[in-house]
Amino acid sequence: MLSFRSSAASAIRGCRFARGHLPKPSPRLGYPATLPVTNPQRRHYAVPLEGSGTQQTVIRLLSQIGSKKEVEQYLHQFSSVSKQSFAVIKVGGAILTQHLDALISSLAFLYNLGLYPVVIHGAGPQLNKILEESGVEPQFEGGIRITDGKTLEVARGLFLQENSKLVEALEDLGVRARPITTNVFSGDYLDKEKYGLVGQIRAVNKKPIEASIKARCLPILTSMAESPDGQVLNVNADVAAGELAKALQPLKIVYLSEKGGLTNEDTKKIISSIDLDEQYEDLMSGKHWWVRYGTRLKIKEVNDLLSELPRSSSVAIIHPADLQKELFTHSGAGTLIRRGNKVRVNTELSQFGDIDAFKEVLLRGREAEDAVPTVDRYAEYLRGHDFKCYFDDQMEALAIVLPPSAESSVPQLATFSTTKVGWLSNVTDIVFTAIKKDFPRLVWTVKSDDEHLTWFFEKADGSLSRNGDVLFWTGIEKGEEVVNLMREFTARGREMFGDINLESQLQKAARAAASVASNVTGGQQQQARAYSTATKGIPSNVLRDTRQRRRSGLRTSRSYATTTTNPNPPYGDQNSSNRPPAKVALIGARGYTGKALINLLNSHSNIDLQHVSSRELAGQKLQGYDKRDITYENLTAEDVRRMGEIDCWILALPNGVAKPWVDAIEQNGNDESLIVDLSADYRFSPDWTYGLPELVDRSQIAKAKRIANPGCYATAAQIGLAPILPHMDPSSYPVIMGVSGYSGAGTKPSPKNNVENLTNNIIPYSLTDHIHEREISAQLGREVAFIPHVAVWFQGIHHSINIPLNKTFTSRDIRNIYQERFEGEPLVKVTGESPLVKNIAGTHGVEVGGFGVHSSGKRVVVNATIDNLLKGAATQALQNINLAMGFAEFEGIPLGEKASGGDMKF
């Protein structure tokens, strides 16, 4: 089980600063304005010195994101190694363009602490843009950029420019930085015939880096190598960072990422930590659907890298704004990956062998003269009871859990002993993760003055403070159980756990030894902290917050993120995993939807269209696709059965004919192939995932291998109905009048696509039991009536939806409901006016509006428009492909200035 750091959870419980925010940043620097920095105009370089006033100020500021003890411990650890062995920080090109201020302020923080990370940067996104603007299509093979002479010339100039930009920005903050653009990496060609001027690093020259740090300058490197004959070679920045780390053996290797870490798509949370010794095999076993493509590759690359570094080294994948929190607090910020330590589990004292050594661990940090007999008695208590003891080989962290019993239905963490090394090396996290895997439900207590109290808050779902003790719990979802637990703790405190709690036994013994009356609680009741629950009574907000957080499944929020009222927010770039381009085959390309798909696939940087099949167009050259020359094929199901590996199949066929193709794909031996079917054939199948990302849980689409693309009428109708579903009159049902342009009738001649027949006319058809009526009803779980019509315009659909309500609403009430439901959706626009077909045609989204409420307040008419060829078919198919293939959700979809999703004309 992976552990998670949830800022959202901390916000509910209360956290270290008011409202959970970092100190207010200065406009330019991004870190607290009280930090003494030199005037950028003077560019005077402040040399960081041990114990300097600047360093002490920074330490005090860091103490606001963690305890001062934490900060000083980590600073001591980082300062104990040679300066070049502190950290290697890899900066992606997107960070340089989008988050430069956060990056330089974080690096300035480290510099003022006397720490010198070695920074190496890339510039991939900038290079792609320049090449495309120059008419050069970027070429990749297996995820490696094919580099010819022209590409290398552009890349080298760009890298020098980006390097200079970063150095100048640091020097504007008074940070001495040195550009190192050559003479570090030497190597030879990776595969000259296949990749061109791409290098494989053979050696790393540390001298330029050491000279830079000796001169008190941050070394800023580019990822270029030189061959023995002096040829400059392009090297992937991640690869260069890894080779640099192998040479320098740093404590930390940091990959700065816009996403802030690796994400578990089941929980929508950033993965807090991965302990490779414990979890690598499980993660790579295929049991976790989201460990794929770029995520899988990154975990494997990190595992290979750390296997060549000291066990003290670790990798962090974080947002640049979170660098300080990741480096100087136990709770961290993004994803920490380390080799970890094997966790041992004993269930009997005899398994320890040396019982005295076990007792010594329980005694450490406890200096009272009565502690020894108390621990002796506690060991005897364990001998006769069920328990699980979790510890690492060196016993830097040791925890004892008492399983459920007749006295308590909830497992109890009876003691948790951790050394300073245990905290700094994250053994504590590893042990707690192992406990949570066995005991998802758990309660424990901690003294309110414990120096690591904030770490325990990070691990808990709820807490209650009483007389200097804090009760924590996690995994308890029943409200009655939480209330009973809180009541008993309020009445009895830590003594509610009786003999099973070592801390309680030690406190009792200490009081007896001091001849203190049994009713003394250790002094005046401690004032409740900002992050603790009030100590008097049973405050309803704690229980409410616990229940609400469990129901809502709050996603991890970060200091740079915003909250949303959308229960199924877009993945956006979060889904992107930088996997190699997907090999795609399109079956059924003659129709309007096929042409729309080809246009979209042509602009998608991660799609490699390899086969296009159309019986009518077989033998003709495909138009509108520039990445390679493609000739239409007339593929049969038997041809597909024999075809080689294809990552994604798109079926753009008429209704009723998809099954032979699906069977053939499933019989060709590639079980991992994605199939997206644009017909209605599988929209009612429980074995297929219905692909409407704005309404269907995006994580279900992301892990699907069989996706049924929704119908055009059905997509707009569901967007127009879903937010108001809870407020519909249950005794009635909505009525949808839909009007489509004639492209919806297909390319085969018929009265419904005959322009002469449609002029000055509108044609109703399938007045009841239309396939989309059944589709809408099935997906919403609510009967609807749908009446389709076709009109003279080419593309675009208009719906007028009459909805009976179960109580009185105003138009503003209804509009607010829709705006909150679709907050942050780039392909849905909510407007007060009725949307028009002429505005939606050629764009990629859905517009919802009108919200005309009857004078009774018990009926509303909602209008919805959609382009039937785009969001009603091709755009939605690409959105589903992006989610399922691990690409950014809206990659290849031209999001323009229009809120409905941009423009696209044929």
Side-chain angles (χ1 to χ4, degrees):
M1 183 176 108
L2 301 175
S3 60
F4 302 96
R5 299 174 183 142
S6 173
S7 299
S10 299
I12 289 173
R13 293 188 298 268
C15 41
R16 280 165 278 192
F17 345 96
R19 301 188 182 181
H21 294 308
L22 290 169
K24 184 178 181 181
S26 63
R28 163 67 174 160
L29 305 184
Y31 54 79
T34 53
L35 174 64
V37 295
T38 55
N39 186 335
Q41 299 300 321
R42 294 175 55 198
R43 192 175 288 187
H44 172 73
Y45 300 114
V47 179
L49 296 173
E50 185 71 27
S52 68
T54 296
Q55 185 185 57
Q56 293 306 310
T57 301
V58 174
I59 291 174
R60 288 197 300 271
L61 293 169
L62 281 173
S63 299
Q64 297 180 60
I65 62 170
S67 70
K68 185 177 180 181
K69 185 96 171 174
E70 282 179 286
V71 172
E72 290 177 341
Q73 284 176 347
Y74 282 106
L75 184 58
H76 176 75
Q77 182 191 29
F78 296 149
S79 301
S80 65
V81 298
S82 61
K83 292 189 182 296
Q84 70 267 20
S85 298
F86 160 48
V88 169
I89 298 180
K90 184 265 175 177
V91 180
I95 300 298
L96 292 176
T97 58
Q98 302 296 323
H99 305 282
L100 182 61
D101 281 355
L103 170 64
I104 61 175
S105 64
S106 293
L107 293 176
F109 238 96
L110 299 178
Y111 180 79
N112 280 290
L113 284 168
L115 300 174
Y116 293 83
V118 180
V119 179
I120 181 167
H121 68 82
Q126 299 94 311
L127 181 57
N128 286 339
K129 183 178 179 181
I130 291 175
L131 291 175
E132 289 171 2
E133 290 174 349
S134 303
V136 179
E137 183 69 32
Q139 299 292 322
F140 292 87
E141 180 69 35
I144 298 174
R145 183 190 299 276
I146 298 174
T147 306
D148 57 15
K150 182 177 180 180
T151 300
L152 183 65
E153 180 183 359
V154 174
R156 188 163 185 268
L158 174 65
F159 281 19
L160 294 174
Q161 174 185 310
E162 294 297 297
N163 186 277
S164 177
K165 180 174 75 173
L166 178 54
V167 170
E168 285 289 318
L170 286 166
E171 291 190 336
D172 282 346
L173 290 187
V175 175
R176 292 174 61 98
R178 177 174 292 184
I180 303 177
T181 59
T182 187
N183 197 31
V184 173
F185 301 111
S186 58
D188 49 30
Y189 295 96
L190 180 61
D191 186 330
K192 191 172 183 179
E193 291 187 5
K194 189 173 184 179
Y195 302 116
L197 302 173
V198 175
Q200 184 173 19
I201 295 174
R202 297 299 186 187
V204 176
N205 178 18
K206 298 187 289 184
K207 290 182 179 179
I209 298 170
E210 293 168 346
S212 174
I213 294 175
K214 186 176 181 180
R216 299 184 182 275
C217 297
L218 294 187
I220 312 297
L221 282 65
T222 60
S223 57
M224 289 286 188
E226 296 97 38
S227 69
D229 60 1
Q231 174 63 54
V232 175
L233 299 172
N234 185 22
V235 178
N236 178 275
D238 280 4
V239 173
E243 294 301 320
L244 192 60
K246 293 174 188 176
L248 299 178
Q249 305 276 292
L251 288 174
K252 287 279 187 180
I253 303 95
V254 179
Y255 293 91
L256 298 182
S257 163
E258 287 186 292
K259 291 183 280 186
L262 301 180
T263 303
N264 180 328
E265 299 300 347
D266 279 331
T267 63
K268 310 293 197 307
K269 293 181 179 179
I270 296 291
I271 301 168
S272 170
S273 61
I274 296 176
D275 303 301
L276 295 171
D277 284 357
E278 286 285 322
Q279 297 170 298
Y280 182 72
E281 291 183 4
D282 179 66
L283 288 170
M284 306 303 277
S285 66
K287 293 190 294 185
H288 308 283
W289 68 270
W290 47 269
V291 182
R292 56 180 185 164
Y293 309 138
T295 299
R296 184 182 185 88
L297 180 62
K298 177 57 71 176
I299 294 173
K300 183 180 185 306
E301 287 176 348
V302 171
N303 181 68
D304 293 344
L305 172 61
L306 290 179
S307 68
E308 299 188 45
L309 297 177
R311 187 166 284 274
S312 57
S313 296
S314 62
V315 168
I317 304 172
I318 56 172
H319 190 278
D322 287 332
L323 189 58
Q324 293 97 302
K325 186 177 181 184
E326 174 62 36
L327 294 176
F328 294 101
T329 68
H330 298 325
S331 57
T335 300
L336 176 69
I337 308 178
R338 59 216 162 184
R339 289 170 66 187
N341 294 264
K342 285 287 186 182
V343 176
R344 311 294 179 185
V345 181
N346 286 354
T347 56
E348 297 179 2
L349 286 184
S350 58
Q351 293 174 310
F352 285 101
D354 188 347
I355 300 296
D356 289 336
F358 167 67
K359 291 180 181 179
E360 285 295 323
V361 173
L362 295 181
L363 278 168
R364 64 188 174 201
R366 313 179 198 279
E367 299 176 355
E369 60 182 29
D370 54 345
V372 172
T374 301
V375 167
D376 287 340
R377 289 192 298 271
Y378 189 72
E380 288 305 309
Y381 170 85
L382 293 176
R383 198 182 297 278
H385 292 80
D386 291 335
F387 70 91
K388 276 193 172 184
C389 183
Y390 298 79
F391 57 96
D392 63 296
D393 287 335
Q394 286 71 42
M395 288 194 176
E396 303 292 352
L398 181 145
I400 297 174
V401 179
L402 281 297
S405 63
E407 292 77 22
S408 174
S409 62
V410 183
Q412 300 181 22
L413 179 58
T415 191
F416 200 164
S417 173
T418 304
T419 66
K420 175 181 175 181
V421 172
W423 286 109
L424 293 176
S425 61
N426 294 290
V427 175
T428 310
D429 265 317
I430 299 171
V431 170
F432 194 85
T433 298
I435 293 171
K436 284 295 297 295
K437 184 176 182 179
D438 292 343
F439 298 102
R441 289 158 45 89
L442 195 68
V443 297
W444 70 95
T445 57
V446 178
K447 295 294 293 179
S448 61
D449 58 356
D450 189 290
E451 64 183 281
H452 303 299
L453 190 67
T454 52
W455 182 87
F456 288 105
F457 275 105
E458 293 280 352
K459 302 300 180 186
D461 292 337
S463 63
L464 182 66
S465 177
R466 177 190 183 275
N467 293 344
D469 292 325
V470 183
L471 170 72
F472 293 101
W473 65 86
T474 184
I476 304 176
E477 298 185 15
K478 293 182 179 179
E480 182 180 359
E481 198 169 4
V482 174
V483 169
N484 290 338
L485 182 68
M486 294 167 69
R487 281 178 177 157
E488 187 173 5
F489 184 73
T490 300
R492 300 178 56 200
R494 190 179 286 211
E495 291 185 2
M496 65 184 279
F497 297 112
D499 291 339
I500 71 169
N501 189 284
L502 178 58
E503 311 306 320
S504 178
Q505 293 296 302
L506 289 166
Q507 285 187 33
K508 187 184 299 183
R511 289 197 300 269
S515 301
V516 179
S518 61
N519 62 343
V520 174
T521 60
Q524 185 177 0
Q525 180 175 316
Q526 180 175 329
Q527 182 179 356
R529 300 192 179 192
Y531 44 74
S532 298
T533 306
T535 59
K536 296 183 179 180
I538 306 296
S540 60
N541 64 307
V542 175
L543 180 57
R544 182 184 67 245
D545 288 346
T546 301
R547 287 200 301 253
Q548 286 178 346
R549 188 158 65 85
R550 284 289 179 183
R551 283 200 303 268
S552 62
L554 286 174
R555 304 174 68 193
T556 301
S557 63
R558 324 187 74 75
S559 59
Y560 50 86
T562 56
T563 58
T564 178
T565 56
N566 186 343
N568 183 36
Y571 275 17
D573 291 341
Q574 169 191 327
N575 191 58
S576 178
S577 57
N578 300 317
R579 57 155 289 163
K583 300 173 183 177
V584 174
L586 171 59
I587 308 296
R590 176 177 178 269
Y592 297 124
T593 297
K595 293 177 181 177
L597 268 166
I598 290 166
N599 283 342
L600 288 170
L601 298 178
N602 187 49
S603 63
H604 196 298
S605 61
N606 288 306
I607 292 292
D608 180 10
L609 184 60
Q610 297 199 342
H611 299 278
V612 179
S613 178
S614 170
R615 184 182 59 197
E616 293 86 350
L617 301 177
Q620 299 182 32
K621 188 178 184 307
L622 174 65
Q623 302 297 319
Y625 190 78
D626 305 326
K627 297 182 183 180
R628 65 164 74 224
D629 289 333
I630 296 180
T631 300
Y632 283 101
E633 304 171 77
N634 181 18
L635 295 175
T636 65
E638 187 59 35
D639 294 331
V640 168
R641 192 174 286 109
R642 295 194 301 266
M643 284 176 66
E645 182 176 331
I646 293 294
D647 298 311
C648 174
W649 296 86
I650 307 173
L651 305 184
L653 298 163
N655 291 343
V657 300
K659 188 176 188 304
W661 302 92
V662 172
D663 291 345
I665 294 166
E666 292 179 342
Q667 291 166 12
N668 72 4
N670 187 4
D671 296 335
E672 291 300 306
S673 290
L674 170 68
I675 304 177
V676 178
D677 179 33
L678 275 71
S679 77
D681 293 11
Y682 292 96
R683 291 175 192 160
F684 302 93
S685 171
D687 299 325
W688 286 59
T689 299
Y690 189 74
L692 209 174
E694 287 76 13
L695 298 180
V696 174
D697 185 345
R698 283 175 158 96
S699 68
Q700 296 302 312
I701 299 173
K703 60 186 174 184
K705 293 298 180 185
R706 303 290 181 265
I707 298 176
N709 215 58
C712 50
Y713 277 128
T715 294
Q718 290 176 74
I719 295 291
L721 283 166
I724 203 68
L725 271 177
H727 308 295
M728 287 186 194
D729 183 349
S731 65
S732 186
Y733 54 83
V735 177
I736 307 160
M737 178 182 174
V739 186
S740 173
Y742 64 84
S743 62
T747 56
K748 185 178 180 180
S750 77
K752 289 187 290 184
N753 59 20
N754 185 317
V755 176
E756 184 177 342
N757 185 49
L758 289 168
T759 301
N760 299 320
N761 195 13
I762 184 171
I763 302 176
Y765 64 100
S766 299
L767 299 181
T768 62
D769 296 316
H770 188 281
I771 186 70
H772 287 173
E773 180 177 274
R774 292 193 287 123
E775 181 181 342
I776 298 163
S777 299
Q779 292 300 322
L780 295 180
R782 177 82 188 233
E783 182 184 359
V784 303
F786 172 57
I787 311 164
H789 302 71
V790 62
V792 72
W793 62 81
F794 177 66
Q795 64 191 101
I797 286 174
H798 175 92
H799 281 319
S800 287
I801 311 173
N802 182 68
I803 308 168
L805 303 172
N806 59 11
K807 62 181 179 180
T808 301
F809 284 91
T810 66
S811 179
R812 169 55 67 181
D813 294 335
I814 303 293
R815 182 177 177 181
N816 286 343
I817 289 170
Y818 280 75
Q819 286 175 330
E820 290 180 1
R821 175 58 184 82
F822 294 120
E823 181 186 358
E825 294 287 357
L827 300 186
V828 179
K829 178 181 179 181
V830 179
T831 176
E833 302 296 323
S834 293
L836 302 177
V837 167
K838 69 176 183 179
N839 294 332
I840 199 72
T843 72
H844 295 268
V846 180
E847 290 196 20
V848 186
F851 308 119
V853 175
H854 185 262
S855 57
S856 66
K858 299 292 290 288
R859 179 170 67 88
V860 63
V861 176
V862 175
N863 298 128
T865 59
I866 188 174
D867 188 309
N868 52 296
L869 302 179
L870 297 178
K871 180 58 176 170
T875 301
Q876 188 140 267
L878 184 56
Q879 196 177 352
N880 286 321
I881 291 168
N882 283 336
L883 287 168
M885 297 302 296
F887 303 135
E889 181 176 347
F890 305 104
E891 176 71 28
I893 301 173
L895 303 179
E897 294 181 359
K898 287 190 176 182
S900 58
D903 293 306
M904 180 175 176
K905 298 289 185 182
F906 295 99

